[in-house]
Amino acid sequence: MNTAFIQYLAALLLFATNGIVASQIDLASYEIVLTRTWLAFLVLLAACLVTREKAEFFRYKKDTAMLLLCGVTMGIGWSLLYEAYVYVGVSIATLLIYIGPMIVLATGPFLFGEKWTRPLVVSVIMVVCGMLCLNDITAGGVLHPWGLFCGALSAVTYASKIILGKKAMHLPKLSATLLTLMGACAVVTAFVLVKQGALPTISEDDYLPIFILGAVNTGLGYCLYFPAIRCLPVRTVSVCGYIEAIAAVVFSMLLLGESLSLVQLIGGALILGGSVYCEYRARHGQGA
């Protein structure tokens, strides 16, 4: 349990640096998604061949299908999120996609047999209020219907990624992550080809940040992420998943010189406090 939780936090912290690394790449956002996904897939494919990991795709056909579907939903979610960025802005799009963990929590009693408790409800309220503050929703934005639709649907795909990832329990971690990225590659490639009719041209200056984003943040990140969420309760995956949002803001402040308002600082404190409170009460048997 503790090892899985550490792996999960490590994955979230890696994901939180995505924006910083991506800011060093001179490509459109959806082109960055394409390159990171394909590079992560190729690196994991090489790792599977070198380690000779026994995949057993045909033995666990149900898991194989679920992980491929998980990758498809992940690729659709990334594409929809970047569409939402264009039409409603980063703040509103981020708020919309982070409805996803709440969907997972809501379905927890039906899919995983995990009940809502009073501490969990308090934690969720703290985290949701924190996200509203962190994204400074008072700054406003254009509530374009298509952007809102894309953002809301990306939340559904976010939830689907967690649910499908938790349900597939038998395949080894490299093979499981490889299957997921295979499904994502198919979707994002199709999206880019429809969007601009051709694959992107990459300059030499972009090689290093693309490698970091693809091989480390995406490849290694999801090798930590999917095995971890298999072992962790839904409440932990959902509530503590918001740490990624606050870490992304903190890293941007430290490494890119971005500033935080008082409202955003309060939001960060609420998210962190809600996550810690949820885990503390659960681990000390106070979940009633």
Side-chain angles (χ1 to χ4, degrees):
M1 178 70 169
N2 288 332
T3 301
F5 186 68
I6 291 170
Q7 282 187 211
Y8 184 56
L9 287 180
L12 294 179
L13 292 177
L14 277 176
F15 297 155
T17 65
N18 285 347
I20 295 171
V21 180
S23 68
Q24 308 302 312
I25 302 173
D26 188 22
L27 291 173
S29 57
Y30 50 85
E31 293 176 329
I32 294 174
V33 171
L34 175 69
T35 54
R36 70 176 277 205
T37 308
W38 269 104
L39 182 57
F41 171 76
L42 293 174
V43 167
L44 283 175
L45 178 61
C48 286
L49 294 175
V50 169
T51 60
R52 297 182 181 180
E53 182 179 270
K54 192 174 181 181
E56 299 185 302
F57 294 138
F58 295 104
R59 181 180 178 185
Y60 300 110
K61 294 179 181 178
K62 184 177 179 180
D63 281 19
T64 298
M66 281 194 294
L67 287 168
L68 282 172
L69 181 59
C70 178
V72 169
T73 59
M74 192 163 67
I76 292 172
W78 287 342
S79 303
L80 288 169
L81 180 62
Y82 284 106
E83 279 288 284
Y85 284 160
V86 172
Y87 288 94
V88 295
V90 173
S91 292
I92 293 176
T94 302
L95 283 174
L96 288 170
I97 193 172
Y98 275 110
I99 295 172
M102 296 299 104
I103 296 174
V104 178
L105 277 176
T107 59
F110 308 101
L111 297 178
F112 303 103
E114 296 186 20
K115 297 180 180 179
W116 279 69
T117 61
R118 286 191 295 273
L120 179 57
V121 172
V122 172
S123 298
V124 167
I125 292 172
M126 290 175 67
V127 167
V128 170
C129 291
M131 281 298 298
L132 290 170
C133 294
L134 191 65
N135 285 276
D136 199 3
I137 196 67
T138 57
V142 180
L143 300 181
H144 192 284
W146 175 245
L148 292 174
F149 174 77
C150 289
L153 199 54
S154 71
V156 176
T157 61
Y158 187 113
S160 300
K161 175 185 73 174
I162 295 174
I163 293 169
L164 291 168
K166 279 187 67 63
K167 286 288 187 180
M169 298 292 292
H170 301 98
L171 290 172
K173 65 179 181 180
L174 287 178
S175 302
T177 310
L178 182 69
L179 274 175
T180 305
L181 289 170
M182 185 187 299
C185 281
V187 173
V188 296
T189 302
F191 178 80
V192 170
L193 290 176
V194 169
K195 189 82 174 178
Q196 62 185 33
L199 297 176
T201 301
I202 304 172
S203 67
E204 292 184 6
D205 293 339
D206 292 334
Y207 287 167
L208 179 59
I210 285 176
F211 177 80
I212 294 172
L213 188 63
V216 181
N217 288 36
T218 306
L220 176 60
Y222 278 108
C223 275
L224 294 170
Y225 181 85
F226 283 115
I229 67 172
R230 290 178 182 180
C231 305
L232 294 171
V234 167
R235 65 166 191 278
T236 298
V237 175
S238 300
V239 176
C240 293
Y242 287 94
I243 292 174
E244 179 187 344
I246 183 175
V249 174
V250 171
F251 288 152
S252 297
M253 179 182 66
L254 295 176
L255 300 177
L256 299 180
E258 296 182 0
S259 59
L260 290 177
S261 67
L262 177 60
V263 172
Q264 288 174 315
L265 288 172
I266 293 172
L270 285 169
I271 292 171
L272 189 58
S275 300
V276 171
Y277 177 72
C278 177
E279 277 303 291
Y280 177 82
R281 292 296 297 267
R283 288 173 183 264
H284 289 77
Q286 297 171 312

